[in-house]
Amino acid sequence: MQLVCANSHLLAQSPAREIAFLSDIHLQDVYADLHSEDFKGVNNPRTGKFATIRTMKSQLNSTRLFNENYFAFIAALEDLKKKGIQLVVLPGDFTDDGQPMNVLALQKILDQYAKEAGMRFFLTTGNHDPVKPFGGVAGKSDFLGVDGSAQTIAGSVELYNSPSAAISDQVNYWGYSEITQALAAHGFFPSEKDIFWAHPFQELNYDNYNFDQAQASSKLENRVFPAGDSGLFIPDASYVVEPVDGIWLLALDGNVYTHSGNKTDGNWKGSSVGFNQAAIHKKHQLDWIKKVSDEAEKRGKTLISFSHYPLVEFHDGASDEMKSLFGSRKFQLERVPSTQTSELYAKAGIKIHFAGHMHINDTGLFQDQTTNTMYNIQVPSLAAFPPAYKTLKTTNPSQFEIETISLTEVDHMNEFFDLYRMEHRWLLEKQDPGIWDSTILASKDYLEYTRNHLLELTKSRFIPSDWPENLVSLLTAMSNDELIAWSKMTAEEGTLFLDEILKSFDLTNKESASIIDDFYLLKNGDEIGKKLIPEERINFYEELLETISQKSESNETSLNTQLLQFFGIFNKLFHSLPSDHFSIDLKNNTIKKIQD
């Protein structure tokens, strides 16, 4: 693989097809009709409407927003409308847990933009839609109540032991049948507008394609496979579609569910691991992918794969080091595709794959021992930092230009801020230990809002749950000069030096270090996050990392070794493949950063 830079667009000389990828929207209807006598929402004086939103406390303890992302989704669609981009892919988690109120809200929005802007939407399922293959009773205990407290809403009185719970069937889980039928016009089933459409359980018969036959075959009961040895069958919503001449979109349903008991008891367990599990439980997909990729190559089609789940390691090659330092169950590392998994899907013929799930911006590359190469493009979430979507332009099956569009200005972003202030006052009065930092409400735009969300999440959740305490203390206590001095010491000198620093440091200090904050900017935002790090810190990191790269790690378990491991990880995140605006040439096997 060759990495080079380009000063002009690779595809500027010829007309290109353009596709947008909007992932992990986690849409929740913020003004839903709950059809409930117990609770109709919180009156929002700004709009005169009743808001059905989650608490800010809940948002700041989650890796995603629940409320403002509704407006971010609309902003992204408006941006696409202005740009005239009409092919739009949603790689899963398009709703927040697949409840009727959220699926129907998404349906309304997609139908509107399809009608008014001529957009075509192509969806695949994520682990939040559906949560269980056949649905079930569900609820949430963190909606915002009328006085600022948390309001429980459930589909059944038995679900929560709470006399104040509101009952609404709009928060139950929908399964594959209900979700795909509601969104039938958006990829899950064939459309007369498509040139070709097929699913894994039918023959690929391109020359004799017939829409009526495809439609009859596409019924969900024809698209099922056995769930282990349970004797039960569950749907696979995968499909391949040719919406415009020459472009094949391969939608892979990577959801995996296991079951114990009988089907009627609803005892299904979902997996968010992705293709490490799908490669085992959905082996039929691999055979089908090979057939699709062979057919696409034979016919000169541009094959673009997408799924909710990544197919390549997404920490710039640092995942093994992260497991060693932090532990294999931290940082969602169990979701990292293994080398064996990547090899299976690359061998099946996937060369360029768009994924979500991780809420990060990243480009990953896998090459096996033969000629197989696969690029994994991580699409950020619209509900987290960095809030962005990606576009792909292509003129032929081997050349692609990919651009990441950040959402900075989002209309109505502060629509619920007065309601959050009411919540904050309630928490203050109750002396609730979960009270949050209200300075987030001073965010000037959506990009800053999501960054502040990440900063708060880092301090309150990530550091306490994922990080060794002494490592946090060192990164908090050490000055830049001390880090540079340490980087030039021997292992023995470094260990003694770090021990002395810890002795004089107040371990009760819970403030996060700027280095840790920068680490998350890089891990989650890649090039987008790097642009937000001040230039003087960038220069400091370049000097520090250059010195550390000349040091060798010791096998000893010590603070010195931990710090070396951390900066080894940091170095890989700091020097990553292009992820903001770049081109990929599969024929010449090059990836080029495009200088805007």
Side-chain angles (χ1 to χ4, degrees):
M1 187 277 297
Q2 182 182 2
L3 173 60
V4 292
C5 288
N7 292 316
S8 60
H9 289 198
L10 171 74
L11 304 172
Q13 304 301 316
S14 56
R17 303 290 177 84
E18 193 160 9
I19 305 165
F21 296 81
L22 280 62
S23 191
D24 294 86
I25 298 159
H26 289 281
L27 188 81
Q28 177 178 284
D29 190 349
V30 292
Y31 288 115
D33 183 355
L34 295 171
H35 306 295
S36 173
E37 296 180 0
D38 305 313
F39 182 69
K40 60 180 179 179
V42 182
N43 182 43
N44 186 359
R46 287 196 183 202
T47 62
K49 296 189 288 187
F50 288 89
T52 48
I53 60 174
R54 313 275 277 282
T55 64
M56 178 61 82
K57 178 181 176 180
S58 179
Q59 291 198 123
L60 291 177
N61 282 282
S62 171
T63 55
R64 63 190 186 275
L65 297 169
F66 300 117
N67 305 325
E68 285 66 40
N69 44 306
Y70 178 95
F71 302 116
F73 181 43
I74 301 299
L77 293 177
E78 284 295 311
D79 197 37
L80 295 176
K81 184 178 177 180
K82 290 176 184 176
K83 293 174 178 174
I85 299 176
Q86 294 188 313
L87 298 180
V88 185
V89 168
L90 275 56
D93 281 4
F94 42 77
T95 64
D96 205 64
D97 291 346
Q99 303 97 329
M101 60 182 257
N102 299 334
V103 176
L104 295 175
L106 180 69
Q107 176 197 56
K108 183 178 179 180
I109 293 169
L110 299 187
D111 289 351
Q112 175 188 340
Y113 281 87
K115 180 180 179 180
E116 295 179 359
M119 291 183 184
R120 300 283 319 278
F121 296 96
F122 300 93
L123 281 59
T124 190
T125 54
N127 55 304
H128 284 274
D129 40 35
V131 175
K132 295 184 177 183
F134 302 102
V137 177
K140 302 287 184 185
S141 60
D142 59 1
F143 279 88
L144 184 64
V146 294
D147 61 352
S149 64
Q151 171 66 53
T152 298
I153 306 177
S156 169
V157 292
E158 289 81 19
L159 195 62
Y160 291 96
N161 184 23
S162 172
S164 62
I167 306 303
S168 171
D169 61 3
Q170 292 300 295
V171 296
N172 284 334
Y173 294 142
W174 262 2
Y176 271 92
S177 177
E178 297 92 344
I179 291 174
T180 57
Q181 285 301 319
L183 302 170
H186 307 298
F188 288 121
F189 298 93
S191 166
E192 290 184 282
K193 298 177 182 178
D194 300 327
I195 297 170
F196 177 67
W197 188 99
H199 63 76
F201 306 98
Q202 66 177 137
E203 184 182 355
L204 278 176
N205 191 352
Y206 189 83
D207 291 324
N208 299 308
Y209 178 72
N210 177 277
F211 168 72
D212 291 332
Q213 291 177 353
Q215 189 175 48
S217 172
S218 71
K219 294 177 181 178
L220 212 56
E221 57 262 33
N222 298 327
R223 299 159 66 185
V224 297
F225 68 101
D229 57 1
S230 66
L232 303 171
F233 290 80
I234 56 177
D236 180 344
S238 301
Y239 60 91
V240 61
V241 61
E242 185 174 3
V244 293
D245 185 34
I247 301 290
W248 277 21
L249 297 176
L250 177 61
L252 298 177
D253 175 3
N255 285 351
V256 172
Y257 306 90
T258 55
H259 185 271
S260 60
N262 58 67
K263 180 177 177 180
T264 57
D265 68 9
N267 193 18
W268 290 93
K269 182 179 180 181
S271 168
S272 60
V273 171
F275 285 105
N276 286 338
Q277 290 292 322
I280 299 170
H281 296 281
K282 290 186 167 182
K283 290 182 179 179
H284 64 273
Q285 274 189 3
L286 281 163
D287 295 334
W288 179 66
I289 292 167
K290 179 62 175 171
K291 292 176 183 176
V292 170
S293 63
D294 287 348
E295 192 75 8
E297 185 173 4
K298 181 178 76 173
R299 298 180 180 278
K301 305 295 184 182
T302 300
L303 182 63
I304 302 163
S305 167
F306 68 96
S307 173
H308 187 54
Y309 304 97
L311 279 171
V312 176
E313 192 270 349
F314 44 76
H315 289 133
D316 303 305
S319 290
D320 286 343
E321 291 93 331
M322 291 172 72
K323 289 178 183 178
S324 176
L325 177 58
F326 298 107
S328 61
R329 302 294 295 178
K330 305 296 185 180
F331 284 88
Q332 303 183 75
L333 287 166
E334 68 275 9
R335 295 178 169 182
V336 174
S338 67
T339 300
Q340 293 78 10
T341 296
S342 297
E343 186 173 18
L344 285 172
Y345 288 87
K347 187 177 180 181
I350 293 179
K351 299 183 184 302
I352 187 161
H353 180 75
F354 285 79
H357 193 40
M358 302 312 303
H359 299 186
I360 63 172
N361 180 45
D362 182 71
T363 304
L365 170 65
F366 173 81
Q367 294 174 302
D368 66 12
Q369 299 300 312
T370 60
T371 60
N372 295 315
T373 299
M374 181 168 61
Y375 291 88
N376 184 87
I377 314 299
Q378 281 300 130
V379 184
S381 170
L382 296 185
F385 177 86
Y389 67 89
K390 289 186 184 279
T391 60
L392 174 144
K393 294 179 184 176
T394 181
T395 54
N396 61 59
S398 65
Q399 290 186 304
F400 305 91
E401 179 183 339
I402 297 160
E403 188 170 4
T404 311
I405 314 297
S406 294
L407 290 179
T408 302
E409 300 295 334
V410 170
D411 289 343
H412 304 286
M413 183 200 80
N414 61 354
E415 189 157 304
F416 303 124
F417 281 19
D418 287 342
L419 298 182
Y420 297 145
R421 292 184 181 98
M422 175 182 69
E423 174 197 344
H424 194 270
R425 288 193 298 271
W426 188 91
L427 293 170
L428 196 62
E429 290 171 3
K430 300 298 180 182
Q431 297 183 336
D432 192 298
I435 194 166
W436 39 271
D437 186 350
S438 61
T439 58
I440 192 172
L441 302 181
S443 302
K444 66 179 185 295
D445 56 41
Y446 192 62
L447 181 63
E448 183 178 287
Y449 182 64
T450 57
R451 183 184 178 182
N452 287 336
H453 174 260
L454 176 61
L455 289 170
E456 184 67 21
L457 201 58
T458 299
K459 182 171 62 176
S460 65
R461 175 173 162 180
F462 292 156
I463 289 177
S465 67
D466 291 348
W467 288 71
E469 186 176 40
N470 281 344
L471 179 60
V472 174
S473 299
L474 284 175
L475 292 173
T476 303
M478 294 178 74
S479 67
N480 289 0
D481 289 342
E482 286 174 325
L483 282 166
I484 294 293
W486 162 79
S487 71
K488 299 175 181 178
M489 296 178 183
T490 65
E492 184 177 355
E493 291 170 339
T495 298
L496 293 172
F497 180 68
L498 298 178
D499 284 340
E500 286 301 315
I501 287 176
L502 274 188
K503 285 179 183 177
S504 61
F505 181 69
D506 181 5
L507 292 177
T508 62
N509 188 336
K510 298 298 182 182
E511 292 299 315
S512 62
S514 60
I515 291 177
I516 296 177
D517 293 334
D518 291 346
F519 170 85
Y520 280 101
L521 285 178
L522 293 171
K523 186 185 79 68
N524 290 24
D526 206 275
E527 289 184 318
I528 295 175
K530 193 172 185 179
K531 290 177 182 177
L532 296 176
I533 300 175
E535 185 177 0
E536 63 270 17
R537 290 222 297 275
I538 291 290
N539 294 335
F540 160 67
Y541 291 136
E542 287 174 345
E543 179 185 357
L544 178 68
L545 295 173
E546 172 63 25
T547 307
I548 290 176
S549 68
Q550 301 171 29
K551 296 166 72 74
S552 57
E553 284 189 23
S554 168
N555 291 326
E556 297 179 5
T557 302
S558 67
L559 285 173
N560 190 73
T561 300
Q562 280 193 346
L563 205 56
L564 278 174
Q565 284 180 310
F566 170 75
F567 281 112
I569 295 165
F570 195 99
N571 186 52
K572 289 188 173 182
L573 299 175
F574 193 82
H575 298 104
S576 61
L577 289 175
S579 63
D580 189 4
H581 192 187
F582 58 100
S583 63
I584 292 173
D585 186 334
L586 295 176
K587 185 176 181 180
N588 296 307
N589 197 22
T590 59
I591 178 169
K592 300 180 180 181
K593 179 180 176 66
I594 295 175
Q595 303 287 2
D596 293 314

